[in-house]
Amino acid sequence: MRWFLSILVSLTMVACGGGGSGGGGVSSTPANGNNSSAGSGVAAVSSLSSAATAVSWGMADAARAADIDVAIDRSGMGLVAWSELTNGHYVLKVRRMNGTDTGVTLSTAGDAAAPHVSVDAAGNALAVWTQYSNARHTLWASHYSAASNLWDAPRMISSASAVASTLKPDLAVDQAGNAIAVWQQGDGRVNHFDAWVAQYNAGTASWSAPAMLSDGINSAHCLSVALNASGQGLVAWVQERGDGTSIATPPADIWVRTVSTAAAWGAPTLVNRSAGQVNTVYVYGQIGLSVNAKGAAAVLWSQRLLPSLPMVVDAAMYSPAQGWQDAVSIALVTKEDCHEPAVALDDAGNAIAVWQQQTDYGSYGASNRYVAGAGWSTAGHFVDSKLGDTLSPSLAMDGAGNATVVWYRWSGTNAIELMINRFTPDLGWADPKVFMPVGTDGAMTRSLPTVVSNAVGQTLVVWGNKLSAVASWL
């Protein structure tokens, strides 16, 4: 399914303790543009600025865009990538959100989809996307130079000899512009995938040959990668206990690997089995991943111990000095299904996790906090379900631990509202606020709400609004 680009808002976080070092890395996330009436929605949250200026994104752009990703650099500059139907096929376009950039087409042939963008400390950027031609998808990349204000010629970074499609890429960039791209790729067998990776060297402006991350035996998919400013990071993926060709939903695990743009990588590590767990774990392609400035990491996922048991959220924490802690369940009530976990770490190693948790009568926004040296707290919530269901929460955090979560609230009258809440280390969660009314129909056909922050607290919020909108900075 293709999502339409709708709303892009920039927020400057000014709550107590906001900020952090300016050297923090780069974030990228699926995203959209903004409605000029958003000022009233922002004013309801006192810690957010309400001054708005127009940017180069309007309703006509929003109505054409699909498969969106947005990055924000440490100065607060946004970069948007999307696919757009042109002359019968989808092309890949990118645009810097500076008020003057009109956009550049990067793809060369076939249908382009699934873009990811990320930027370094100097404002240089990378984009990766899949491109369909000759009956399969391949992975392509292009580099943007801030000095020349030009994108280089796209190059294919997946193997030219691959016999099956490249799917679901992810991308992370460090402050020097070095990057890691990951993706899943078939080998010709039905329902079998392997985990693949390629690295970009900013010094030589070159990509490495693609290499397999998984074992080539068990099916591996749903990869995610995160890097900090210095190039320390983590890759996580779902790996089945089997090649994927014979069982529709086999037991599966979460595998991770510590990675670096400048040093040796760690060995693949299984993180979802704790002491005493039974050997039938069913994990799903819902992975939350975060790495902080010191190289500490958190990975979250949804899993069932048996197909008949509820889906819970488990977490595993990593430190460079001590390695991996045992995985623990962080959900509030384990008889209720949990979906779409997200996690973010601050520079001190504290973390916030959020997810959508079902009840007998709806769903609410659940949360938990990890305190470095103490562990996970008792789970609570950032919003209850009294006034409507919580759908698709998205989380971002700055270097000082100030966090923002956005989500859709779907009420019993079918009204859809973009909601927002704010966490600060000294006060905890504030009261949830209505950020913007979205509509009364078609919630599941709208862009999912998304938020992303840089280290100093500048934040982009993304949501859908009637499939088209204008954009503004706040």
Side-chain angles (χ1 to χ4, degrees):
M1 178 179 293
R2 293 184 179 274
W3 302 107
F4 285 89
L5 179 62
S6 300
I7 302 291
L8 172 62
V9 176
S10 176
L11 309 172
T12 300
M13 314 313 290
V14 295
C16 298
S21 65
V26 176
S27 299
S28 64
T29 184
N32 301 348
N34 161 4
N35 186 308
S36 59
S37 66
S40 62
V42 174
V45 184
S46 60
S47 62
L48 305 180
S49 169
S50 60
T53 56
V55 296
S56 56
W57 195 267
M59 289 193 294
D61 303 296
R64 291 192 300 264
D67 289 338
I68 313 307
D69 196 48
V70 163
I72 180 174
D73 68 17
R74 68 179 185 177
S75 73
M77 174 65 71
L79 174 69
V80 60
W82 73 97
S83 58
E84 181 177 310
L85 187 62
T86 302
N87 297 325
H89 69 94
Y90 282 90
V91 298
L92 192 285
K93 293 189 174 184
V94 291
R95 182 184 297 177
R96 297 175 70 234
M97 305 302 290
N98 60 3
T100 59
D101 190 354
T102 58
V104 176
T105 297
L106 295 183
S107 57
T108 57
D111 284 317
H116 286 268
V117 289
S118 195
V119 289
D120 66 19
N124 306 306
L126 277 168
V128 298
W129 67 94
T130 62
Q131 201 162 287
Y132 186 81
S133 60
N134 299 320
R136 64 187 177 95
H137 296 272
T138 51
L139 189 62
W140 290 71
S142 179
H143 180 266
Y144 169 80
S145 168
S148 66
N149 194 28
L150 293 173
W151 290 86
D152 66 12
R155 66 189 80 177
M156 187 169 69
I157 63 172
S158 58
S159 174
S161 61
V163 298
S165 284
T166 295
L167 301 169
K168 298 183 179 180
D170 198 12
L171 174 71
V173 174
D174 67 19
Q175 67 178 358
N178 304 301
I180 295 175
V182 295
W183 64 93
Q184 67 185 60
Q185 186 166 315
D187 66 357
R189 288 178 285 175
V190 176
N191 294 328
H192 176 87
F193 300 96
D194 297 303
W196 286 81
V197 63
Q199 290 184 259
Y200 180 79
N201 185 307
T204 61
S206 62
W207 284 92
S208 69
M212 190 183 296
L213 276 173
S214 53
D215 58 18
I217 300 171
N218 299 290
S219 189
H221 47 85
C222 299
L223 283 78
S224 183
V225 60
L227 291 173
N228 64 13
S230 61
Q232 299 169 292
L234 193 70
V235 175
W237 66 92
V238 176
Q239 185 163 301
E240 298 176 8
R241 300 180 203 167
D243 63 9
T245 64
S246 58
I247 302 176
T249 55
D253 298 298
I254 298 292
W255 287 80
V256 299
R257 191 169 180 180
T258 54
V259 298
S260 172
T261 57
W265 290 21
T269 303
L270 186 152
V271 296
N272 63 283
R273 271 190 245 163
S274 301
Q277 256 189 5
V278 295
N279 195 37
T280 52
V281 175
Y282 296 77
V283 301
Y284 295 82
Q286 301 177 359
I287 297 176
L289 187 61
S290 183
V291 178
N292 75 358
K294 297 178 182 178
V299 59
L300 268 62
W301 62 91
S302 296
Q303 74 171 39
R304 302 180 194 272
L305 293 181
L306 291 168
S308 59
L309 295 178
M311 190 185 303
V312 299
V313 172
D314 275 25
M317 307 298 291
Y318 171 85
S319 74
Q322 299 177 344
W324 287 99
Q325 299 178 11
D326 284 344
V328 295
S329 177
I330 64 171
L332 183 63
V333 180
T334 56
K335 69 179 182 180
E336 301 169 333
D337 278 347
C338 303
H339 303 279
E340 302 183 69
V343 64
L345 278 167
D346 66 18
D347 289 346
N350 307 305
I352 291 290
V354 300
W355 61 93
Q356 174 184 325
Q357 188 151 341
Q358 302 301 123
T359 69
D360 292 338
Y361 50 87
S363 60
Y364 63 91
S367 67
N368 204 330
R369 188 183 187 207
Y370 177 88
V371 177
W376 289 97
S377 308
T378 300
H381 59 267
F382 60 85
V383 64
D384 60 31
S385 60
K386 292 179 181 178
L387 297 179
D389 291 337
T390 296
L391 303 174
S392 305
S394 177
L395 175 72
M397 180 185 284
D398 65 22
N402 303 302
T404 304
V405 61
V406 297
W407 69 98
Y408 281 152
R409 181 171 70 185
W410 198 356
S411 73
T413 62
N414 283 330
I416 306 155
E417 296 166 313
L418 176 70
M419 303 293 295
I420 189 167
N421 203 350
R422 176 111 168 108
F423 176 93
T424 57
D426 52 347
L427 298 176
W429 288 108
D431 292 331
K433 303 291 184 182
V434 176
F435 193 78
M436 174 66 66
V438 175
T440 57
D441 64 317
M444 295 298 98
T445 64
R446 301 174 188 276
S447 297
L448 298 179
T450 309
V451 61
V452 61
S453 297
N454 62 14
V456 297
Q458 293 165 307
T459 301
L460 293 175
V461 179
V462 183
W463 70 96
N465 186 19
K466 297 181 181 177
L467 305 182
S468 62
V470 297
S472 66
W473 288 106
L474 296 178

